Amino acid sequence: MTDLTSMTIAEARAGLAKKSFTARELTDAHLAAIEAARALNAYVLETPDLAREMAAEADARIAKGEGGPLAGIPLGIKDLFATRDIRTTACSKILGNFIPPYESTITSQLWRDGAVLLGKLNNDEFAMGSSNETSCFGPVTNPWRREGSNTTLVPGGSSGGSASAVAAQLCMGATATDTGGSIRQPAAFTATVGIKPTYGRCSRWGIVAFASSLDQAGPIARDVRDTAILMRSMAGHDPKDTTSVDIAVPDYEAAVGKSVKGMKIGIPKEYRLDGMPAEIEKLWSDGAAWLKAAGAELVEVSLPHTKYALPAYYIVAPAEASSNLARYDGVRYGLREQAKNIIEMYENTRAEGFGAEVRRRVLIGTYVLSAGYYDAYYLRAQKVRTLIKKDFEDCFAKGVTAILTPATPSAAFGVGEKGDDPVEMYLNDIFTVTVNMAGLPGIAVPAGMDAQGLPLGLQLIGRAFDEETLFSLGGVIEQAAGRFTPPKWW
Ligand code: GLN
């Protein structure tokens, strides 16, 4: 029998339809792979009994010809998504053993379509981080290693568990969320594909909030087609999220393989950083050449406010986070520390429950929102945000279809390598935060390797609600670059 964990979702779908194997067999193969890969720390909770039950149900539905678009496809779910009766922690001690009495809209859509839950995936605490090192469950290991080295590398963050599990074939696809790059950066670090949809495309209901005006969920999978397949189930209007937009969800899969002839692709000159590694430069020009060969026209564009994006993001995101995280006070959810009075109880619970990075964000956020500093920091950052958005609008108004950039300024780094200076970690987001600030869709696609044999990714940024074009362009990059699978050592 074919190796059931190395297939794509599209291949598994075909195999299930032809009855080459059952959903139960597919799930069992993944459960065995998870068991053998605990060293990666990708899962924070495994749900094998439920997975087998869901798989059996999928088999029954397939037999009756009623299998949905994801019937029997085993997935991992980032621990930021509320799953009914299944522990959901956002990888924070403060949520402790929180068991939600409800299901997030996105996961309920995946189950509606027949997918199988394998378990909950590790992430940075409250999705704050770029390396998955802030999780209360400890760091996730990237299945990729530098050639000839056994240094443990991070899978990126905050969706590090999702990216690592997909790359190591511990699930066929995963949910993820992206506030400043948390889908695209881990995808780039693990040679997986990840798309952050347009703000409003997917419901945020039932996802633990980080920065509500920037948060957006999306899939990570092993190729562009699979990402498109998952996205179709995840997207759609939800009256329970007032920022979700009521427009039809296209057949994203149909966009994969479509011609990109005549598309105008912008290369933003401000993304060419001083001291950018030559490998990233080369990756970027390779990507441009591949798109050109497929009939696209490459043009230089300018996004003049790019340099302000990162500082503005690190005001807006902590400001919203400090407000969102006010609800974790020991009264309603999870952890409660003992104390003499309620104020002390709040203080003790929050001091004990939040990790260092989360505390830093709450402090920064509270500071920039406080009277006297609000205008100087928060309001100013919001104005910068408007200018960043306008940069993109001006560019698209000139007929640009999409923008090509590197996904990250480097390949995956070692665990503990960027621990001392938080700003060094924040710099990881330099190419991705602008997209969240502008609410636009962005896809990261593996495009090459660095000299040490680590994967590198390219990012394509699209017009609002034009994810289809990103799938078409991403497909061209994938075709030209090929696929990348980490050699198995775990
Ligand atoms: N790395 C960024 C941060 O720490 C983005 C995280 C995310 O997208 N959730 O804020």
Side-chain angles (χ1 to χ4, degrees):
M1 190 157 45
T2 37
D3 176 7
L4 293 179
T5 58
S6 64
M7 280 182 294
T8 61
I9 293 174
E11 287 162 357
R13 187 178 59 185
L16 286 165
K18 278 201 313 220
K19 311 249 181 327
S20 310
F21 45 83
T22 65
R24 182 59 204 267
E25 286 166 340
L26 189 61
T27 286
D28 280 338
H30 283 87
L31 291 172
I34 293 170
E35 237 183 271
R38 295 218 173 99
L40 300 181
N41 203 25
Y43 282 84
V44 297
L45 184 77
E46 297 168 20
T47 54
D49 296 339
L50 178 64
R52 291 192 185 101
E53 241 173 74
M54 291 173 91
E57 203 175 303
D59 277 328
R61 277 169 64 177
I62 294 169
K64 281 195 269 173
E66 291 168 6
L70 292 175
I73 302 298
L75 302 179
I77 299 297
K78 186 177 183 178
D79 206 27
L80 221 62
F81 290 74
T83 39
R84 190 170 62 214
D85 299 335
I86 295 164
R87 191 189 71 187
T88 300
T89 68
C91 297
S92 176
K93 257 166 78 182
I94 210 154
L95 274 162
N97 284 318
F98 176 60
I99 306 217
Y102 51 83
E103 186 78 29
S104 83
T105 297
I106 286 193
T107 47
S108 64
Q109 289 172 184
L110 293 169
W111 315 144
R112 172 203 68 198
D113 288 350
V116 169
L117 170 67
L118 293 169
K120 302 299 289 287
L121 295 164
N122 209 337
N123 52 252
D124 277 300
E125 183 179 6
F126 284 108
M128 297 175 191
S130 303
S131 62
N132 214 117
E133 290 168 286
T134 72
S135 164
C136 76
F137 295 102
V140 174
T141 297
N142 191 332
W144 287 91
R145 285 171 159 184
R146 295 181 185 123
E147 250 158 46
S149 149
N150 54 12
T151 304
T152 303
L153 303 181
V154 304
S158 65
S159 312
S162 306
S164 175
V166 170
Q169 306 180 345
L170 312 180
C171 58
M172 306 203 86
T175 64
T177 61
D178 190 314
T179 303
S182 278
I183 292 176
R184 293 159 286 156
Q185 183 252 20
F189 277 14
T190 56
T192 55
V193 179
I195 183 165
K196 181 202 90 74
T198 312
Y199 186 80
R201 184 53 105 172
C202 291
S203 170
R204 290 179 300 109
W205 195 83
I207 302 174
V208 176
F210 165 8
S212 304
S213 77
L214 302 160
D215 297 345
Q216 184 62 198
I220 293 182
R222 282 197 290 272
D223 70 5
V224 173
R225 178 177 300 276
D226 282 5
T227 314
I229 293 171
L230 290 176
M231 171 94 179
R232 188 165 194 196
S233 284
M234 293 170 71
H237 176 238
D238 177 11
K240 287 191 284 203
D241 173 2
T242 51
T243 63
S244 102
V245 175
D246 192 2
I247 53 171
V249 177
D251 178 0
Y252 295 118
E253 197 182 350
V256 184
K258 262 206 182 145
S259 166
V260 302
K261 221 184 187 119
M263 285 187 188
K264 215 163 150 181
I265 307 301
I267 304 288
K269 57 172 188 245
E270 291 79 7
Y271 281 57
R272 190 151 282 124
L273 305 177
D274 288 342
M276 192 152 87
E279 289 155 337
I280 304 274
E281 280 275 2
K282 178 172 181 313
L283 182 87
W284 199 5
S285 52
D286 282 350
W290 294 329
L291 295 178
K292 195 166 176 201
E297 182 196 342
L298 278 299
V299 290
E300 186 180 90
V301 296
S302 173
L303 299 166
H305 296 91
T306 299
K307 59 178 175 293
Y308 306 115
L310 203 61
Y313 169 84
Y314 276 99
I315 289 174
V316 173
E320 294 185 21
S322 72
S323 157
N324 271 327
L325 269 54
R327 74 190 70 174
Y328 304 104
D329 55 8
V331 177
R332 284 165 290 187
Y333 315 89
L335 188 74
R336 177 181 300 176
E337 288 290 305
Q338 295 308 314
K340 287 195 289 293
N341 56 47
I342 190 156
I343 301 289
E344 217 177 76
M345 190 280 285
Y346 290 156
E347 288 173 353
N348 293 353
T349 301
R350 289 169 67 83
E352 182 56 29
F354 289 143
E357 183 60 29
V358 174
R359 288 203 297 270
R360 178 179 297 125
R361 308 276 178 124
V362 170
L363 288 171
I364 295 171
T366 312
Y367 179 80
V368 300
L369 288 174
S370 57
Y373 293 107
Y374 183 91
D375 288 2
Y377 292 107
Y378 184 68
L379 203 62
R380 202 156 183 178
Q382 290 290 35
K383 288 180 182 164
V384 170
R385 184 174 183 177
T386 304
L387 293 171
I388 291 167
K389 193 158 180 274
K390 196 176 164 297
D391 282 353
F392 282 106
E393 281 163 7
D394 290 348
C395 192
F396 292 133
K398 287 186 196 130
V400 168
T401 330
I403 293 164
L404 179 74
T405 78
T408 59
S410 74
F413 46 88
V415 170
E417 247 171 45
K418 286 189 202 284
D420 302 339
D421 180 3
V423 175
E424 212 193 325
M425 190 67 84
Y426 299 168
L427 283 169
N428 262 284
D429 307 326
I430 195 124
F431 298 134
T432 48
V433 288
T434 49
V435 178
N436 302 73
M437 294 292 263
L440 299 172
I443 193 170
V445 183
M449 297 273 207
D450 76 355
Q452 296 175 300
L454 293 180
L456 296 169
L458 284 170
Q459 171 178 241
L460 286 148
I461 306 167
R463 298 165 184 246
F465 297 102
D466 187 17
E467 287 86 1
E468 286 168 281
T469 294
L470 299 186
F471 287 121
S472 302
L473 290 164
V476 171
I477 304 267
E478 181 176 75
Q479 273 284 318
R483 310 275 178 92
F484 306 86
T485 309
K488 193 161 178 233
W489 54 264
W490 57 92

